[in-house]
Amino acid sequence: MLSILIPVYNFDIESLVTKLTLQLQDISYDYEIIILDDASTDTSIKIKNERLGVLKNCRYVTNNTNLGRTSSRQKLANLAQYQYLLFLDADVLPKYDDFIARFSINSQLADMIFGGVEYLDKSYSKDNSLRWKYGKNREQKNQIIRQKSPYLSIISMCFLIKKNVFLNVNTYHENLYGLDVFFSYQLEKLDVTIVHIDNPIFHTGLEENTKFLAKSKEAMETLHNLVSLKKIPDNYRPIQKASNVLMKYKLSLIYIRAMETFEKMVLKNLNSQNPSLFLFDLYRLYHYHKCFNK
């Protein structure tokens, strides 16, 4: 009935899989765990993760080349033998000891369930201050707040979804960062029923500030490409709406020039111990807007 699917790249998932297997001992329905290594380059971690394949109902498979998260999820979904798919990123851990049971698989009517994401105070460091603060303030939301915007509240680190629904939704398989927005739009477009519950995972693998900033720039380029390809509307996300305002009032070049002038100061703040999320929003808007002025 349940396929637990974990794509992994250069990350030790022993703690995650151990927690899951302990909880699965109390489950009455059929289940499987499939670990897909996406051509990891760290041999020691790869060997350690491969050993998990000997656990009960657990399989370990590999990609010959790095496909990225979206294509790896597609492969996992096709390998899965059960109706419900529980996707988990490698760098998460369940908050609750009854994490699996809280999804209520036996009585579930929704197409998709999202339990939320949280960030531990102990995960904070100066090196990852921006990723931690963004997650703590923008991604960590209770189920009541998430249910008010059920589609845009989805963060795909962990979610339960019916297999047929996922295969209908996951139709863009490019190896790009920032495709959650396309996934959310597809869910909404296909009128997928989503239930938000109190069952969060802790996001533990926080990127250092410089890496997170680089990935954020890539996400803005991905967002622009999705709009250009007409895969999402040009006003789906708040940052797109802000960009539209700049273009409407012919302020695009003024904004870009201003950000170019102050970019070093902005980056200094974003790499500091207490980065400003307002400046981070301006920085992302700058890079999204630049895509239209190349």
Side-chain angles (χ1 to χ4, degrees):
M1 180 171 275
L2 175 65
S3 295
I4 300 173
L5 309 175
I6 308 172
V8 58
Y9 177 77
N10 287 342
F11 200 90
D12 183 350
I13 58 171
E14 183 178 19
S15 294
L16 171 60
V17 175
T18 299
K19 286 180 180 290
L20 294 173
T21 53
L22 286 173
Q23 293 189 25
L24 289 165
Q25 293 175 4
D26 301 323
I27 297 301
S28 60
Y29 48 77
D30 293 332
Y31 71 87
E32 64 179 346
I33 300 174
I34 307 178
I35 301 164
L36 174 58
D37 183 272
D38 193 16
S40 292
T41 56
D42 189 317
T43 305
S44 61
I45 289 178
K46 191 171 182 178
I47 291 173
K48 191 173 183 181
N49 288 339
E50 186 174 8
R51 291 174 183 152
L52 298 171
V54 302
L55 298 173
K56 180 182 178 182
N57 296 340
C58 186
R59 275 195 289 164
Y60 177 91
V61 294
T62 61
N63 290 332
N64 293 325
T65 58
N66 183 264
L67 301 180
R69 188 169 68 166
T70 305
S71 290
S72 291
R73 283 179 177 167
Q74 185 75 9
K75 181 174 179 177
L76 282 164
N78 286 323
L79 289 171
Q81 59 178 315
Y82 296 123
Q83 175 188 4
Y84 286 100
L85 311 179
L86 176 57
F87 284 98
L88 288 154
D89 278 4
D91 60 349
V92 305
L93 289 173
K95 178 178 181 178
Y96 298 125
D97 291 336
D98 60 347
F99 169 76
I100 299 293
R102 283 176 178 243
F103 286 109
S104 303
I105 300 294
N106 285 322
S107 59
Q108 193 51 246
L109 298 177
D111 294 323
M112 181 175 181
I113 305 175
F114 180 61
V117 57
E118 293 187 4
Y119 289 79
L120 294 166
D121 290 345
K122 67 179 182 180
S123 296
Y124 168 86
S125 72
K126 182 182 177 182
D127 290 337
N128 67 24
S129 57
L130 181 60
R131 184 65 187 94
W132 180 88
K133 189 171 184 179
Y134 182 81
K136 193 80 169 176
N137 290 274
R138 298 288 178 82
E139 296 177 341
Q140 183 171 314
K141 301 174 183 177
N142 66 45
Q143 67 190 91
I144 296 174
I145 294 175
R146 283 186 272 116
Q147 196 67 59
K148 292 178 181 178
S149 301
Y151 300 103
L152 286 177
S153 295
I154 295 295
I155 299 167
S156 67
M157 297 175 198
C158 173
F159 60 93
L160 179 82
I161 191 168
K162 291 180 179 177
K163 179 174 180 176
N164 64 312
V165 174
F166 178 79
L167 293 175
N168 286 333
V169 169
N170 194 54
T171 57
Y172 191 59
H173 305 148
E174 297 297 318
N175 189 0
L176 299 171
Y177 182 77
L179 286 176
D180 270 9
V181 62
F182 173 73
F183 187 67
S184 294
Y185 179 67
Q186 284 291 96
L187 292 169
E188 185 170 1
K189 181 181 175 182
L190 297 177
D191 200 26
V192 173
T193 58
I194 298 176
V195 172
H196 287 263
I197 64 173
D198 175 29
N199 194 21
I201 44 85
F202 293 124
H203 183 203
T204 61
L206 306 188
E207 301 99 332
E208 293 185 353
N209 295 333
T210 51
K211 186 175 182 180
F212 183 53
L213 284 166
K215 291 175 76 171
S216 297
K217 286 173 60 176
E218 183 183 345
M220 294 302 98
E221 293 169 1
T222 298
L223 183 61
H224 172 259
N225 289 337
L226 290 171
V227 172
S228 299
L229 294 171
K230 300 188 184 305
K231 291 188 176 293
I232 64 170
D234 67 358
N235 62 350
Y236 190 59
R237 299 287 298 174
I239 203 162
Q240 295 174 277
K241 295 175 183 177
S243 179
N244 291 342
V245 170
L246 290 175
M247 287 190 278
K248 178 180 179 180
Y249 292 103
K250 304 186 186 310
L251 296 172
S252 299
L253 289 178
I254 294 174
Y255 182 75
I256 290 172
R257 294 293 178 263
M259 285 299 298
E260 286 174 346
T261 301
F262 295 104
E263 186 173 13
K264 288 184 179 180
M265 294 174 59
V266 170
L267 286 172
K268 183 177 180 180
N269 174 274
L270 297 181
N271 283 286
S272 70
Q273 193 168 344
N274 186 26
S276 165
L277 293 183
F278 174 69
L279 289 180
F280 184 49
D281 289 339
L282 294 180
Y283 180 78
R284 291 187 301 145
L285 175 59
Y286 164 57
H287 283 284
Y288 176 66
H289 207 62
K290 273 177 61 176
C291 294
F292 293 96
N293 290 272
K294 290 182 177 179

